[in-house]
Amino acid sequence: MPEFLKRNRNVLSISLLFLLSGAAMSIWFRAWSINVSTETNNQNQNLIDVINQLEAETVSLEADIDALRSRITGQILTSAETDEYIARLRHELEQMQLISGQTPVTGSGLVITISDNTAGAEAAKQLDPANYYPENYIIHDSNLRYLLNDIAYLADAVAINGQRIVDLSDIRCVGTVIIINSTRVAPPYEISLIGSAALLEGALQESSQYIYLHNKNMPIKVSREENLTLPAYTGVVLATHAQIAQ
Amino acid sequence: MPEKSSKTSRLLSFCLALTFLSFAIVCQINFESNSVQSLENQSTDTLVAMVRNLNDYRNRLNNELTQLERTESSRNVTTSLEQQLNSARIFAGTVPVSGPGVSVTITADYDLYSMDVIDIVNELKVSGAEVIAINNQRVTTKTRLTQETDSDEHLFLAMNGERLLTPIVITAIGDPATLEKGLTFTGGIIDNLNTLYGIYPIVRQEQEVIVPAADLNTNPAYMRLPEQTTPAAPDISATD
């Protein structure tokens, strides 16, 4: 190969040129096709811009909150207080944060990856376009909810696509977009569970929702993992209506 | 000479192949980002709803940030610790809690599926519920709802393996009006239960809902803190 290159010094630059021109052509083609279709979609584009802007803001707010929580915890942990009362509160706080999903955690467990049945959708569309219903081939928010109901009780910690599942986590959809903890997630949906892989897998096999999705030919991959790391929950924690009952 | 021309044509076809390859790669990237779930493929209504949700979420985050800033500036370690701990206890469910909210009552007149209850609970969370209980048992990530049939072939619901007695009462703490509206709007979950299944839950605003502490396993056997968790640890952000 080096011999070949030496004899044809410009082969490399020519191939690069053609690679780039191909890329440029496709980008131009894409831009052209979008231009044709989006004349009427200006309003939607504005909304998408607003959504992107808001998402950037909430992500940065979450990061600020996370940093602030860490600083407060740091203040508490590094304070010179040696008071027994404070030591006890500190220990309880750490324990509360661990069990309620407010810290990152690691451990072994199971990862279930589910995706839309795009191959099935294509085939159905080709075969009988009149009776093709795209919603039959995608994973819905309810599928994720029902699946979690069947298996999460056996897990110490759960996350879907990097969103830690806590008591207050909602899984909803707007249009065809699934939203977990107010954050958009897209397929494939990777459900990571820390816990006994054997027990989790057993519960999965018996889950009516798993069987349902399996029978619908939704691509599902299950793998046991030794080293899972799940992120901390970064959303709202403070209660504004609930208070500790006397 | 024929040697040379065959070399040129080989080079030419090689270049064409490269062009095609890069064209295909970039197209592929575009198509992937252009899936059913991408924003470009949503209706205006959907996008408006998403903007509304995000606005609401941003407000709640801002509120949280303000409260935390107040805690940080208090400078009194004991006060700060007690405040943090109380909110952590409520969040984790280790204490009984009370507050205004709603109740959803479903009598024995209807055959309710576990999925209906899961969906009602989810809608309550969407509407900002802070604490939820079913028949006076707090709902957590470990709550499991199932439907079974008894010896008389009667359908019944079970929570964590124990039969739920009727009427089934789902209670939630949060802003009563928001919670009620989240359930009862046209096209919402109660509307669907009414029209699709003839199930008529009774939704009522409550001045005070009391929810007992959750039944918790405070000694998880499989998860542990990552090795280097110092307060100044770099942000371990989500990867999709």
Side-chain angles (χ1 to χ4, degrees):
Chain A
M1 195 63 185
E3 183 63 26
F4 172 77
L5 282 179
K6 217 175 281 172
R7 275 194 282 126
N8 305 274
R9 283 220 183 123
N10 43 11
V11 163
L12 202 68
S13 52
I14 289 178
S15 2
L16 212 68
L17 190 75
F18 277 82
L19 268 174
L20 282 176
S21 70
M25 270 166 65
S26 66
I27 288 167
W28 171 82
F29 174 71
R30 164 90 174 151
W32 172 79
S33 63
I34 283 178
N35 257 340
V36 169
S37 69
T38 54
E39 297 269 332
T40 50
N41 280 343
N42 268 340
Q43 194 201 349
N44 280 10
Q45 193 49 54
N46 287 342
L47 286 168
I48 291 172
D49 291 345
V50 173
I51 289 171
N52 286 329
Q53 160 90 35
L54 279 169
E55 281 180 346
E57 264 183 68
T58 53
V59 165
S60 112
L61 274 172
E62 282 173 358
D64 289 351
I65 289 173
D66 196 36
L68 193 49
R69 278 188 194 136
S70 297
R71 275 213 305 280
I72 293 172
T73 312
Q75 269 180 12
I76 292 167
L77 295 183
T78 56
S79 73
E81 305 275 353
T82 48
D83 193 329
E84 201 175 302
Y85 173 68
I86 289 190
R88 212 180 61 225
L89 294 195
R90 244 183 231 163
H91 178 74
E92 193 190 336
L93 180 62
E94 285 178 341
Q95 192 65 18
M96 291 298 100
Q97 290 179 333
L98 174 70
I99 61 168
S100 64
Q102 292 191 71
T103 64
V105 286
T106 62
S108 60
L110 205 65
V111 174
I112 304 162
T113 311
I114 321 176
S115 224
D116 296 343
N117 183 4
T118 39
E122 271 310 311
K125 198 155 65 176
Q126 301 286 334
L127 201 69
D128 187 3
N131 285 315
Y132 164 64
Y133 301 103
E135 64 270 23
N136 287 341
Y137 299 90
I138 64 172
I139 296 291
H140 297 272
D141 56 330
S142 55
N143 299 135
L144 296 178
R145 282 200 297 275
Y146 304 152
L147 194 62
L148 278 192
N149 175 70
D150 292 349
I151 52 173
Y153 72 99
L154 288 168
D156 285 348
V158 184
I160 302 179
N161 286 20
Q163 284 302 317
R164 186 73 174 271
I165 302 299
V166 297
D167 291 356
L168 292 185
S169 293
D170 59 300
I171 302 176
R172 64 177 129 164
C173 70
V174 184
T176 49
V177 183
I178 295 186
I179 295 170
I180 302 178
N181 294 343
S182 296
T183 306
R184 235 170 350 120
V185 294
Y189 305 103
E190 197 181 274
I191 309 174
S192 312
L193 306 115
I194 292 182
S196 156
L199 285 180
L200 286 166
E201 219 168 332
L204 184 66
Q205 299 299 333
E206 283 176 20
S207 154
S208 53
Q209 190 62 201
Y210 171 76
I211 294 163
Y212 170 77
L213 293 173
H214 195 264
N215 289 343
K216 281 182 81 177
N217 285 323
M218 294 294 184
I220 308 180
K221 229 172 54 203
V222 181
S223 66
R224 295 184 178 204
E225 299 287 339
E226 280 308 310
N227 259 311
L228 286 170
T229 299
L230 309 192
Y233 169 75
T234 50
V236 174
V237 170
L238 292 176
T240 49
H241 293 88
Q243 45 184 276
I244 296 178
Q246 300 314 313
Chain B
M1 197 55 187
E3 239 286 299
K4 181 105 189 239
S5 103
S6 94
K7 207 192 248 173
T8 315
S9 75
R10 235 188 303 148
L11 187 65
L12 201 71
S13 52
F14 175 62
C15 289
L16 266 174
L18 282 179
T19 312
F20 183 74
L21 179 72
S22 59
F23 184 89
I25 289 173
V26 176
C27 277
Q28 180 62 33
I29 293 167
N30 279 333
F31 285 135
E32 270 176 8
S33 68
N34 200 14
S35 66
V36 199
Q37 286 85 0
S38 78
L39 291 179
E40 282 76 11
N41 290 329
Q42 304 305 317
S43 68
T44 308
D45 284 352
T46 298
L47 294 171
V48 169
M50 288 182 75
V51 169
R52 207 179 314 123
N53 288 339
L54 279 166
N55 253 325
D56 180 47
Y57 183 53
R58 182 183 57 178
N59 291 343
R60 285 192 291 155
L61 286 174
N62 269 322
N63 178 43
E64 181 108 0
L65 195 62
T66 315
Q67 300 238 31
L68 284 171
E69 275 163 354
R70 214 172 294 155
T71 306
E72 191 195 22
S73 61
S74 79
R75 291 277 154 214
N76 180 332
V77 172
T78 314
T79 319
S80 159
L81 186 53
E82 279 168 346
Q83 278 173 3
Q84 283 280 98
L85 189 54
N86 278 343
S87 74
R89 281 169 175 155
I90 295 175
F91 187 70
T94 59
V95 287
V97 287
S98 67
V102 293
S103 66
V104 183
T105 307
I106 304 125
T107 60
D109 304 335
Y110 311 108
D111 272 347
L112 196 66
Y113 289 148
S114 56
M115 294 179 196
D116 301 327
V117 179
I118 294 169
D119 289 345
I120 292 173
V121 166
N122 190 63
E123 279 314 312
L124 287 167
K125 291 177 190 171
V126 169
S127 310
E130 295 169 0
V131 178
I132 300 170
I134 301 171
N135 281 9
N136 226 20
Q137 289 178 72
R138 185 159 163 159
V139 174
T140 71
T141 50
K142 296 192 166 51
T143 300
R144 182 174 53 122
L145 292 158
T146 46
Q147 62 212 25
E148 282 150 50
T149 40
D150 61 18
S151 48
D152 302 328
E153 300 288 307
H154 284 306
L155 183 77
F156 69 91
L157 293 187
M159 180 167 169
N160 305 328
E162 271 176 55
R163 185 176 184 150
L164 283 173
L165 299 176
T166 50
I168 292 173
V169 184
I170 306 168
T171 44
I173 298 177
D175 179 60
T178 313
L179 290 175
E180 186 188 22
K181 227 175 81 196
L183 294 175
T184 56
F185 70 93
T186 313
I189 186 153
I190 298 291
D191 191 18
N192 277 343
L193 286 173
N194 293 346
T195 52
L196 298 178
Y197 306 107
I199 297 173
Y200 291 85
I202 304 154
V203 181
R204 237 196 344 243
Q205 297 193 17
E206 302 284 349
Q207 277 187 333
E208 190 178 45
V209 170
I210 298 175
V211 176
D215 187 13
L216 285 172
N217 166 22
T218 46
N219 248 329
Y222 289 87
M223 72 170 177
R224 56 184 187 280
L225 289 169
E227 306 302 337
Q228 8 52 319
T229 40
T230 59
D235 180 33
I236 300 163
S237 54
T239 50
D240 306 25

